[in-house]
Amino acid sequence: MTAYLHTTTFNFYCSGVYSGKIHFAEKEIKHAKVDLRRRTQMQENVLDKQGKYVLPLQKIHEHIDIYEQADWTPDEVVLNNGDIYQKHIQYTAVIAGVEKTSQVWALRKGTALDLVTLDGEIIAFLTPNRYGIELIVKEGYEQLTPLVVYDEPLLSKAEYGVNDLGTFLIPMRDGVKLATDVFLPEGILPGSKLPTILVRTCYDRNGKKEIFMRWANKGYAVVSQDVRGRADSEGELVPFYNERDDSYDSIDWIIAQDWSDGNVGMWGASYLGYVVVAAATSGHPNLKAVVDEVNVGSPFVDTVRKGGTLCSWPLLSWTLAQSVGTRTDFDIFAGITVSPEAAVDARPIKEIPQQMIGKASSPWDLWSQHPEYDDFWRNCTFTERGDQVQVPMYVISGWYDGDSAGVSETWRMLTERDVPNRKIRLGAWEHGPNRSRELNGVSFGNDAVVYDYDVSVLRWFDHFLKGIPNGIDQEPRASYYVVGENKWRTSEDWTPVEAESTSFYLSSGGRANSSQGDGQLLSAPAEGSPEDIFIYNPNDPMDDSGEREPENLRKYELRNDILVYTSDVLVDDLTVAGELSAVIYAASTGLDTDWVVSLSDVNEQGDSLRLSNYIVRAKYRHGFDHPELLTPGQVEKYDIFMPNIAHRFVAGHRIRFSITSSSKFVAFPNTNTGENPYEDSAAITVQQTVYHNSEYPSYVLLPVIPHFFDTKAVF
């Protein structure tokens, strides 16, 4: 086959913005950049290997001969480097007066690196992600690639350069100054007034600088700011506490600038997502649009005290990474330089930071001073001010997002307040959404990764900040991807309006301990079903990952301190989509304890793939602001929220629900004493009893889509 990729010069596009030319020379990659301000073509130089591009140009260069020599004619191609590609979608366009049809190939495993062929030769490589498609394409063939998603007639076009106004130190109401960068479109008419997109980050505003600039290319003022105590901002980071007021004050500053038209939007993901939800609760009248991705929830729901427990590794990794200095140490965050196992097992709890990073953590110390839900935590709980939210909010997350509890909290708040123009998109995505078509060996289908992710975000801002009538406000409120069916669906709300809340009741002969026991899920409460008992020893906790991922729970379900309830084999497919919950009647011999619940899909081989899980502390069963210790042996009702899913249980599989009392990588094990969780009191082993009879009908409540299956035929 004739070599062609080494001799091809590719045009490089990032989120629809032309970003120069790429040439894969024999020993190096050449990059001819574009001047950010004037949009003029610069000369070719060797690509900076430390560049912040998502598209893995070094991998393409390393394997370029493999890509070039592959036979791109079968429906599936396995390359010599192990990559598996499948035929995906096609594009047809007239190129040089001739109609051509290209073929897009989807990478099946790992981070998506898709490619496009024409007549058996590669013309483009691309990586979709949350910030937009990064793509290189043979010049003149753009219309044969997913780049066409940016050609939507009413979409803001990348027609401007970027004018970097520099850094401003903006004073907040208490005098603390926050480092803030401003980027304006270069080429606008003098005196033009612009809508603004504000991003407030704890991860150093310079980290994603080039990415956020791309909105300026499309006619927006972009304001990027370090939250207090981070990077170049003054003050001290008190996570969650100041974000509402600081956002309000920052918006005030923006609308006072001579380039502002008074319309402000905000974008945020993860902690930045918490920031934008908190900003929405400020009720600022000039906040006109919010895009909220994979947002961290309020501390007692998702982060510091999930379900009232004391969170362990997810909280520790983030807090320690923020505490080593004013800039985040991502090696700690990723569990590289601090061992998750060592961190969660370290004691005393209040001194874990000193043991792991050699110094105290101000947030950790502060939180330990507030062991109960008080005014400090109320100020951090965005739902306490949900009545102030009126801004149109676009919520984006996925089934494998570790902060999906926070996303659900946000959506419940919007729904309960009936906030107009709310919209949600939920995919088979992780906390870093739109990345891969497979996770832990579970395949999601080629459509799980989408090419219009950032286009939909831009359309949201275009409509609500620029007033462009693009119709996004008329589309179905919810868009969600059903794993197992591997298709996108829409509904007029989330939970889907067509879903029917269906109870699946726990039952057993009194021996539901482990997957080898006799626990069952039934379509009706069991008469005279005896209770199930297990012993919870805080010194021998469950050590599953606790992550929101399809982890195989099979080996953990062999333990005697987990109660397992499994349906009969499904005789037909059963599709569940929406928010979940469980009602559990239980007693403990302790003064306090925890309850961990999980829903999983059990296949023919006995693998139990987790779909949803949550943890709650018993003393908060009446609400976080009404703590009450247990009366040992007394039956209590627990109404337990569970993060959302959209999943098809296929015929031949079984539904499984489990209950235990610990998951040490989610929360430090409850000592069962009812004492201050930060004080490391001596642990007490307790007896846990779960009831499931006509008087105490414990059940899991699933939103079943009836179109696919008559639930009466499940068992």
Side-chain angles (χ1 to χ4, degrees), residues 579-652:
E579 303 285 345
L580 320 178
S581 64
V583 172
I584 305 300
Y585 291 92
S588 174
T589 58
L591 293 174
D592 191 18
T593 197
D594 290 344
W595 300 105
V596 182
V597 294
S598 296
L599 181 76
S600 59
D601 183 342
V602 182
N603 63 20
E604 294 90 341
Q605 292 75 41
D607 296 318
S608 181
L609 301 182
R610 179 172 51 218
L611 303 176
S612 180
N613 63 306
Y614 199 62
I615 186 170
V616 295
R617 184 140 293 185
K619 69 183 295 186
Y620 300 112
R621 61 197 179 280
H622 302 308
F624 296 131
D625 51 357
H626 292 92
E628 182 182 337
L629 293 179
L630 297 172
T631 299
Q634 180 172 300
V635 181
E636 300 283 355
K637 179 182 179 181
Y638 299 91
D639 196 338
I640 303 173
F641 145 86
M642 298 179 70
N644 52 32
I645 63 171
H647 183 83
R648 174 172 284 188
F649 294 87
V650 300

Side-chain angles (χ1 to χ4, degrees), residues 100 109 258 325 339 396 423 514 543 577 633:
K100 301 281 189 178
K109 297 182 178 181
D258 57 9
S339 163
I396 306 174
K423 186 179 182 67
S514 87
D543 60 351

Side-chain angles (χ1 to χ4, degrees), residues 258-296:
D258 57 9
W259 40 259
S260 170
D261 71 357
N263 295 305
V264 179
M266 291 187 72
W267 176 94
S270 194
Y271 185 82
L272 287 65
Y274 172 90
V275 169
V276 300
V277 177
T281 68
S282 76
H284 200 298
N286 293 84
L287 182 58
K288 300 296 180 63
V290 164
V291 175
D292 160 33
E293 300 183 14
V294 297
N295 74 279
V296 166

Side-chain angles (χ1 to χ4, degrees), residues 191-505:
S192 295
K193 302 291 187 179
L194 300 166
T196 302
I197 299 175
L198 169 63
V199 180
R200 305 188 61 246
T201 181
C202 61
Y203 299 119
D204 190 341
R205 71 196 188 286
N206 293 300
K208 303 292 184 184
K209 183 175 181 178
E210 292 81 3
I211 288 172
F212 298 138
M213 277 184 182
R214 295 168 191 166
W215 285 316
N217 293 121
K218 297 163 185 173
Y220 289 92
V222 177
V223 176
S224 180
Q225 181 183 81
D226 294 323
V227 301
R228 64 171 61 206
R230 306 308 299 152
D232 298 315
S233 285
E234 296 178 353
E236 181 180 353
L237 175 68
V238 180
F240 314 107
Y241 194 81
N242 297 294
E243 307 306 357
R244 180 179 63 249
D245 291 345
D246 285 354
S247 295
Y248 193 104
D249 295 350
S250 299
I251 295 171
D252 268 353
W253 182 87
I254 290 170
I255 63 177
Q257 305 309 301
D258 57 9
W259 40 259
S260 170
D261 71 357
N263 295 305
V264 179
M266 291 187 72
W267 176 94
S270 194
Y271 185 82
L272 287 65
Y274 172 90
V275 169
V276 300
V277 177
T281 68
S282 76
H284 200 298
N286 293 84
L287 182 58
K288 300 296 180 63
V290 164
V291 175
D292 160 33
E293 300 183 14
V294 297
N295 74 279
V296 166
S298 298
F300 263 69
V301 173
D302 180 40
T303 49
V304 185
R305 301 291 304 276
K306 184 192 293 281
T309 67
L310 177 54
C311 287
S312 55
W313 178 244
L315 174 67
L316 273 170
S317 63
W318 187 85
T319 307
L320 297 177
Q322 304 296 332
S323 299
V324 292
T326 59
R327 285 172 168 80
T328 306
D329 186 330
F330 287 99
D331 284 342
I332 293 177
F333 202 1
I336 297 172
T337 53
V338 171
S339 163
E341 292 80 6
V344 301
D345 288 339
R347 296 295 184 275
I349 287 176
K350 285 200 294 188
E351 296 180 9
I352 291 176
Q354 289 90 326
Q355 297 181 49
M356 295 298 109
I357 61 173
K359 61 182 295 187
S361 162
S362 293
W364 197 258
D365 289 344
L366 178 61
W367 294 332
S368 70
Q369 296 166 19
H370 297 272
E372 296 294 349
Y373 190 79
D374 55 15
D375 286 343
F376 171 81
W377 296 113
R378 287 186 185 91
N379 190 69
C380 300
T381 301
F382 52 70
T383 52
E384 294 276 357
R385 292 174 59 92
D387 59 337
Q388 300 297 308
V389 181
Q390 290 299 318
V391 59
M393 189 178 297
Y394 184 13
V395 179
I396 306 174
S397 181
W399 320 131
Y400 311 109
D401 170 20
D403 286 308
S404 55
V407 173
S408 291
E409 179 192 18
T410 301
W411 190 253
R412 286 197 306 273
M413 176 181 70
L414 299 179
T415 301
E416 289 169 2
R417 302 290 180 178
D418 195 23
V419 175
N421 293 309
R422 63 186 185 272
K423 186 179 182 67
I424 192 165
R425 190 177 196 180
L426 299 163
W429 296 332
E430 304 159 81
H431 195 59
N434 203 38
R435 186 191 68 84
S436 179
R437 299 179 172 95
E438 184 176 285
L439 182 62
N440 284 11
V442 178
S443 174
F444 306 134
N446 293 336
D447 291 331
V449 170
V450 299
Y451 297 137
D452 70 338
Y453 189 100
D454 73 307
V455 168
S456 69
V457 170
L458 183 58
R459 291 179 68 225
W460 192 256
F461 287 136
D462 278 354
H463 181 77
F464 291 106
L465 297 182
K466 291 185 176 181
I468 296 174
N470 55 27
I472 195 168
D473 58 323
Q474 303 300 315
E475 296 172 356
R477 178 168 285 161
S479 174
Y480 62 97
Y481 193 79
V482 181
V483 175
E485 182 188 27
N486 292 344
K487 289 184 179 179
W488 285 96
R489 294 191 168 272
T490 60
S491 180
E492 293 307 312
D493 210 343
W494 184 258
T495 293
V497 295
E498 56 271 25
E500 294 182 353
S501 293
T502 305
S503 298
F504 294 79
Y505 293 90

Side-chain angles (χ1 to χ4, degrees), residues 30 102 129 137 160 173 274 306 331 387 406:
K30 297 294 185 68
S102 65
N129 63 89
V137 56
Y160 301 99
R173 63 188 64 182
Y274 172 90
K306 184 192 293 281
D331 284 342
D387 59 337

Side-chain angles (χ1 to χ4, degrees), residues 32-97:
K33 293 184 178 181
V34 171
D35 177 76
L36 288 174
R37 182 165 185 175
R38 303 299 181 186
R39 306 301 298 160
T40 53
Q41 183 70 62
M42 300 169 70
Q43 68 179 13
E44 186 177 77
N45 285 290
V46 176
L47 177 74
D48 180 3
K49 291 185 178 181
Q50 304 303 315
K52 299 177 181 178
Y53 299 116
V54 178
L55 185 67
L57 294 166
Q58 297 294 342
K59 176 184 176 180
I60 296 172
H61 186 230
E62 179 183 349
H63 297 159
I64 198 162
D65 292 337
I66 295 175
Y67 296 121
E68 193 172 62
Q69 294 165 13
D71 176 12
W72 297 102
T73 54
D75 290 339
E76 182 172 284
V77 176
V78 181
L79 302 185
N80 289 339
N81 63 0
D83 286 348
I84 301 173
Y85 281 91
Q86 290 180 353
K87 281 185 176 178
H88 191 21
I89 58 178
Q90 295 181 326
Y91 292 96
T92 298
V94 175
I95 308 295

